[in-house]
Amino acid sequence: MTSDLLFVYGTLMRGFDHPMARLLSMHADFLGEATCRGRLVLVKHYPGLLLSDAPSDLVHGELFRMRAGDELLRELDMYEACGEGFPEPTEYLRKLIGVLTADGAVMQAWTYIYNWPVTDLPRIESGRFLDH
């Protein structure tokens, strides 16, 4: 593990009544809101993040510091159905990306990038999953 930080932008955010969101809140400390360069699409009842270099493409989410990062990431990889043992191409890929915190710091954090075709998926223009 090269970072103990995790950036989440969808159903893992605080306030979602989801078992994996509860698991994250029990095993990680909320550091604050953060953004990354990217676009959000609505996959089904959950979003997918597509990375972007365009300054106007921002995805809003939350940054957490994981206490037992390797174990927690293994659990989250299972939830996101990515990593070893899942047929390729997996729906998500876990990647280390740069995120911008509310106080202007750039930090490296793990996140899950959407990895399937997005041709017919609607974009969440605001970059905020909670707004859709």
Side-chain angles (χ1 to χ4, degrees):
M1 184 174 78
T2 52
S3 176
D4 62 352
L5 301 178
L6 179 70
F7 175 75
V8 298
Y9 54 85
T11 58
L12 293 176
M13 291 193 306
R14 296 172 310 137
F16 275 89
D17 185 26
H18 188 281
M20 295 310 286
R22 288 193 296 275
L23 180 77
L24 179 60
S25 71
M26 288 187 308
H27 297 286
D29 299 312
F30 174 70
L31 299 180
E33 294 185 3
T35 59
C36 75
R37 291 265 173 92
R39 292 176 284 134
L40 275 187
V41 292
L42 185 61
V43 180
K44 291 179 183 164
H45 59 279
Y46 57 89
L49 168 63
L50 309 170
L51 294 180
S52 169
D53 290 328
S56 60
D57 287 345
L58 284 182
V59 170
H60 300 265
E62 298 175 342
L63 189 63
F64 288 85
R65 183 174 312 280
M66 300 175 286
R67 288 185 226 112
D70 289 331
E71 293 88 19
L72 184 57
L73 286 174
R74 273 195 293 278
E75 290 287 328
L76 294 173
D77 286 353
M78 292 296 288
Y79 169 63
E80 301 291 358
C82 69
E84 287 184 34
F86 291 97
E88 297 283 336
T90 56
E91 186 176 16
Y92 288 90
L93 299 172
R94 178 167 43 94
K95 290 195 174 186
L96 205 53
I97 65 164
V99 298
L100 183 66
T101 64
D103 63 2
V106 176
M107 306 181 92
Q108 294 294 304
W110 291 109
T111 197
Y112 291 89
I113 309 298
Y114 193 69
N115 191 41
W116 284 355
V118 297
T119 308
D120 297 324
L121 298 180
R123 181 171 176 187
I124 300 172
E125 294 291 338
S126 69
R128 295 176 190 273
F129 178 59
L130 298 176
D131 287 354
H132 85 283

mmCIF file with all atom_site columns, all heavy atoms in Angstrom, residues 52-64:
data_model
loop_
_atom_site.group_PDB
_atom_site.id
_atom_site.type_symbol
_atom_site.label_atom_id
_atom_site.label_alt_id
_atom_site.label_comp_id
_atom_site.label_asym_id
_atom_site.label_entity_id
_atom_site.label_seq_id
_atom_site.pdbx_PDB_ins_code
_atom_site.Cartn_x
_atom_site.Cartn_y
_atom_site.Cartn_z
_atom_site.occupancy
_atom_site.B_iso_or_equiv
_atom_site.pdbx_formal_charge
_atom_site.auth_seq_id
_atom_site.auth_comp_id
_atom_site.auth_asym_id
_atom_site.auth_atom_id
_atom_site.pdbx_PDB_model_num
ATOM 1  N N   . SER A 1 52 ? -10.135 12.840 -15.921 1.00 0.00 ? 52 SER A N   1
ATOM 2  C CA  . SER A 1 52 ? -10.079 13.871 -16.957 1.00 0.00 ? 52 SER A CA  1
ATOM 3  C C   . SER A 1 52 ? -8.932  14.816 -16.633 1.00 0.00 ? 52 SER A C   1
ATOM 4  O O   . SER A 1 52 ? -8.585  15.001 -15.463 1.00 0.00 ? 52 SER A O   1
ATOM 5  C CB  . SER A 1 52 ? -11.406 14.639 -16.988 1.00 0.00 ? 52 SER A CB  1
ATOM 6  O OG  . SER A 1 52 ? -11.300 15.780 -17.799 1.00 0.00 ? 52 SER A OG  1
ATOM 7  N N   . ASP A 1 53 ? -8.380  15.429 -17.675 1.00 0.00 ? 53 ASP A N   1
ATOM 8  C CA  . ASP A 1 53 ? -7.349  16.450 -17.472 1.00 0.00 ? 53 ASP A CA  1
ATOM 9  C C   . ASP A 1 53 ? -7.926  17.857 -17.558 1.00 0.00 ? 53 ASP A C   1
ATOM 10 O O   . ASP A 1 53 ? -7.217  18.826 -17.316 1.00 0.00 ? 53 ASP A O   1
ATOM 11 C CB  . ASP A 1 53 ? -6.234  16.300 -18.514 1.00 0.00 ? 53 ASP A CB  1
ATOM 12 C CG  . ASP A 1 53 ? -5.398  15.052 -18.269 1.00 0.00 ? 53 ASP A CG  1
ATOM 13 O OD1 . ASP A 1 53 ? -5.233  14.668 -17.093 1.00 0.00 ? 53 ASP A OD1 1
ATOM 14 O OD2 . ASP A 1 53 ? -4.922  14.460 -19.249 1.00 0.00 ? 53 ASP A OD2 1
ATOM 15 N N   . ALA A 1 54 ? -9.199  17.966 -17.940 1.00 0.00 ? 54 ALA A N   1
ATOM 16 C CA  . ALA A 1 54 ? -9.809  19.291 -18.123 1.00 0.00 ? 54 ALA A CA  1
ATOM 17 C C   . ALA A 1 54 ? -10.013 19.970 -16.767 1.00 0.00 ? 54 ALA A C   1
ATOM 18 O O   . ALA A 1 54 ? -10.614 19.386 -15.863 1.00 0.00 ? 54 ALA A O   1
ATOM 19 C CB  . ALA A 1 54 ? -11.142 19.163 -18.840 1.00 0.00 ? 54 ALA A CB  1
ATOM 20 N N   . PRO A 1 55 ? -9.517  21.197 -16.599 1.00 0.00 ? 55 PRO A N   1
ATOM 21 C CA  . PRO A 1 55 ? -9.672  21.904 -15.323 1.00 0.00 ? 55 PRO A CA  1
ATOM 22 C C   . PRO A 1 55 ? -11.124 22.081 -14.893 1.00 0.00 ? 55 PRO A C   1
ATOM 23 O O   . PRO A 1 55 ? -11.414 22.171 -13.712 1.00 0.00 ? 55 PRO A O   1
ATOM 24 C CB  . PRO A 1 55 ? -9.014  23.257 -15.571 1.00 0.00 ? 55 PRO A CB  1
ATOM 25 C CG  . PRO A 1 55 ? -8.114  23.046 -16.741 1.00 0.00 ? 55 PRO A CG  1
ATOM 26 C CD  . PRO A 1 55 ? -8.745  21.961 -17.567 1.00 0.00 ? 55 PRO A CD  1
ATOM 27 N N   . SER A 1 56 ? -12.044 22.115 -15.860 1.00 0.00 ? 56 SER A N   1
ATOM 28 C CA  . SER A 1 56 ? -13.453 22.320 -15.518 1.00 0.00 ? 56 SER A CA  1
ATOM 29 C C   . SER A 1 56 ? -14.142 21.028 -15.076 1.00 0.00 ? 56 SER A C   1
ATOM 30 O O   . SER A 1 56 ? -15.253 21.076 -14.565 1.00 0.00 ? 56 SER A O   1
ATOM 31 C CB  . SER A 1 56 ? -14.195 22.914 -16.716 1.00 0.00 ? 56 SER A CB  1
ATOM 32 O OG  . SER A 1 56 ? -14.104 22.021 -17.822 1.00 0.00 ? 56 SER A OG  1
ATOM 33 N N   . ASP A 1 57 ? -13.508 19.883 -15.262 1.00 0.00 ? 57 ASP A N   1
ATOM 34 C CA  . ASP A 1 57 ? -14.098 18.601 -14.875 1.00 0.00 ? 57 ASP A CA  1
ATOM 35 C C   . ASP A 1 57 ? -13.679 18.265 -13.450 1.00 0.00 ? 57 ASP A C   1
ATOM 36 O O   . ASP A 1 57 ? -12.551 17.827 -13.208 1.00 0.00 ? 57 ASP A O   1
ATOM 37 C CB  . ASP A 1 57 ? -13.636 17.483 -15.816 1.00 0.00 ? 57 ASP A CB  1
ATOM 38 C CG  . ASP A 1 57 ? -14.272 17.549 -17.191 1.00 0.00 ? 57 ASP A CG  1
ATOM 39 O OD1 . ASP A 1 57 ? -15.273 18.271 -17.343 1.00 0.00 ? 57 ASP A OD1 1
ATOM 40 O OD2 . ASP A 1 57 ? -13.766 16.876 -18.107 1.00 0.00 ? 57 ASP A OD2 1
ATOM 41 N N   . LEU A 1 58 ? -14.599 18.477 -12.501 1.00 0.00 ? 58 LEU A N   1
ATOM 42 C CA  . LEU A 1 58 ? -14.309 18.190 -11.099 1.00 0.00 ? 58 LEU A CA  1
ATOM 43 C C   . LEU A 1 58 ? -15.339 17.232 -10.526 1.00 0.00 ? 58 LEU A C   1
ATOM 44 O O   . LEU A 1 58 ? -16.538 17.384 -10.759 1.00 0.00 ? 58 LEU A O   1
ATOM 45 C CB  . LEU A 1 58 ? -14.336 19.471 -10.264 1.00 0.00 ? 58 LEU A CB  1
ATOM 46 C CG  . LEU A 1 58 ? -13.146 20.409 -10.371 1.00 0.00 ? 58 LEU A CG  1
ATOM 47 C CD1 . LEU A 1 58 ? -13.335 21.600 -9.426  1.00 0.00 ? 58 LEU A CD1 1
ATOM 48 C CD2 . LEU A 1 58 ? -11.849 19.697 -10.058 1.00 0.00 ? 58 LEU A CD2 1
ATOM 49 N N   . VAL A 1 59 ? -14.846 16.277 -9.767  1.00 0.00 ? 59 VAL A N   1
ATOM 50 C CA  . VAL A 1 59 ? -15.707 15.358 -9.033  1.00 0.00 ? 59 VAL A CA  1
ATOM 51 C C   . VAL A 1 59 ? -15.523 15.662 -7.552  1.00 0.00 ? 59 VAL A C   1
ATOM 52 O O   . VAL A 1 59 ? -14.391 15.760 -7.062  1.00 0.00 ? 59 VAL A O   1
ATOM 53 C CB  . VAL A 1 59 ? -15.355 13.888 -9.338  1.00 0.00 ? 59 VAL A CB  1
ATOM 54 C CG1 . VAL A 1 59 ? -16.088 12.943 -8.392  1.00 0.00 ? 59 VAL A CG1 1
ATOM 55 C CG2 . VAL A 1 59 ? -15.688 13.571 -10.793 1.00 0.00 ? 59 VAL A CG2 1
ATOM 56 N N   . HIS A 1 60 ? -16.625 15.819 -6.862  1.00 0.00 ? 60 HIS A N   1
ATOM 57 C CA  . HIS A 1 60 ? -16.622 16.154 -5.438  1.00 0.00 ? 60 HIS A CA  1
ATOM 58 C C   . HIS A 1 60 ? -16.858 14.884 -4.627  1.00 0.00 ? 60 HIS A C   1
ATOM 59 O O   . HIS A 1 60 ? -17.736 14.097 -4.943  1.00 0.00 ? 60 HIS A O   1
ATOM 60 C CB  . HIS A 1 60 ? -17.717 17.178 -5.132  1.00 0.00 ? 60 HIS A CB  1
ATOM 61 C CG  . HIS A 1 60 ? -17.545 18.445 -5.899  1.00 0.00 ? 60 HIS A CG  1
ATOM 62 N ND1 . HIS A 1 60 ? -16.904 19.533 -5.379  1.00 0.00 ? 60 HIS A ND1 1
ATOM 63 C CD2 . HIS A 1 60 ? -17.902 18.769 -7.166  1.00 0.00 ? 60 HIS A CD2 1
ATOM 64 C CE1 . HIS A 1 60 ? -16.886 20.499 -6.283  1.00 0.00 ? 60 HIS A CE1 1
ATOM 65 N NE2 . HIS A 1 60 ? -17.481 20.057 -7.374  1.00 0.00 ? 60 HIS A NE2 1
ATOM 66 N N   . GLY A 1 61 ? -16.060 14.725 -3.575  1.00 0.00 ? 61 GLY A N   1
ATOM 67 C CA  . GLY A 1 61 ? -16.210 13.550 -2.743  1.00 0.00 ? 61 GLY A CA  1
ATOM 68 C C   . GLY A 1 61 ? -15.641 13.791 -1.360  1.00 0.00 ? 61 GLY A C   1
ATOM 69 O O   . GLY A 1 61 ? -15.529 14.941 -0.909  1.00 0.00 ? 61 GLY A O   1
ATOM 70 N N   . GLU A 1 62 ? -15.285 12.699 -0.705  1.00 0.00 ? 62 GLU A N   1
ATOM 71 C CA  . GLU A 1 62 ? -14.784 12.756 0.667   1.00 0.00 ? 62 GLU A CA  1
ATOM 72 C C   . GLU A 1 62 ? -13.474 11.997 0.771   1.00 0.00 ? 62 GLU A C   1
ATOM 73 O O   . GLU A 1 62 ? -13.277 10.971 0.112   1.00 0.00 ? 62 GLU A O   1
ATOM 74 C CB  . GLU A 1 62 ? -15.810 12.135 1.622   1.00 0.00 ? 62 GLU A CB  1
ATOM 75 C CG  . GLU A 1 62 ? -17.131 12.865 1.627   1.00 0.00 ? 62 GLU A CG  1
ATOM 76 C CD  . GLU A 1 62 ? -18.201 12.195 2.470   1.00 0.00 ? 62 GLU A CD  1
ATOM 77 O OE1 . GLU A 1 62 ? -18.065 10.982 2.798   1.00 0.00 ? 62 GLU A OE1 1
ATOM 78 O OE2 . GLU A 1 62 ? -19.183 12.870 2.807   1.00 0.00 ? 62 GLU A OE2 1
ATOM 79 N N   . LEU A 1 63 ? -12.601 12.505 1.633   1.00 0.00 ? 63 LEU A N   1
ATOM 80 C CA  . LEU A 1 63 ? -11.298 11.900 1.836   1.00 0.00 ? 63 LEU A CA  1
ATOM 81 C C   . LEU A 1 63 ? -11.239 11.263 3.219   1.00 0.00 ? 63 LEU A C   1
ATOM 82 O O   . LEU A 1 63 ? -11.630 11.884 4.215   1.00 0.00 ? 63 LEU A O   1
ATOM 83 C CB  . LEU A 1 63 ? -10.211 12.971 1.695   1.00 0.00 ? 63 LEU A CB  1
ATOM 84 C CG  . LEU A 1 63 ? -8.770  12.489 1.666   1.00 0.00 ? 63 LEU A CG  1
ATOM 85 C CD1 . LEU A 1 63 ? -8.520  11.588 0.450   1.00 0.00 ? 63 LEU A CD1 1
ATOM 86 C CD2 . LEU A 1 63 ? -7.817  13.685 1.636   1.00 0.00 ? 63 LEU A CD2 1
ATOM 87 N N   . PHE A 1 64 ? -10.767 10.026 3.258   1.00 0.00 ? 64 PHE A N   1
ATOM 88 C CA  . PHE A 1 64 ? -10.647 9.272  4.500   1.00 0.00 ? 64 PHE A CA  1
ATOM 89 C C   . PHE A 1 64 ? -9.206  8.791  4.681   1.00 0.00 ? 64 PHE A C   1
ATOM 90 O O   . PHE A 1 64 ? -8.526  8.494  3.700   1.00 0.00 ? 64 PHE A O   1
ATOM 91 C CB  . PHE A 1 64 ? -11.550 8.026  4.474   1.00 0.00 ? 64 PHE A CB  1
ATOM 92 C CG  . PHE A 1 64 ? -13.012 8.325  4.600   1.00 0.00 ? 64 PHE A CG  1
ATOM 93 C CD1 . PHE A 1 64 ? -13.768 8.653  3.490   1.00 0.00 ? 64 PHE A CD1 1
ATOM 94 C CD2 . PHE A 1 64 ? -13.636 8.266  5.836   1.00 0.00 ? 64 PHE A CD2 1
ATOM 95 C CE1 . PHE A 1 64 ? -15.123 8.925  3.599   1.00 0.00 ? 64 PHE A CE1 1
ATOM 96 C CE2 . PHE A 1 64 ? -14.991 8.534  5.960   1.00 0.00 ? 64 PHE A CE2 1
ATOM 97 C CZ  . PHE A 1 64 ? -15.737 8.863  4.843   1.00 0.00 ? 64 PHE A CZ  1
#
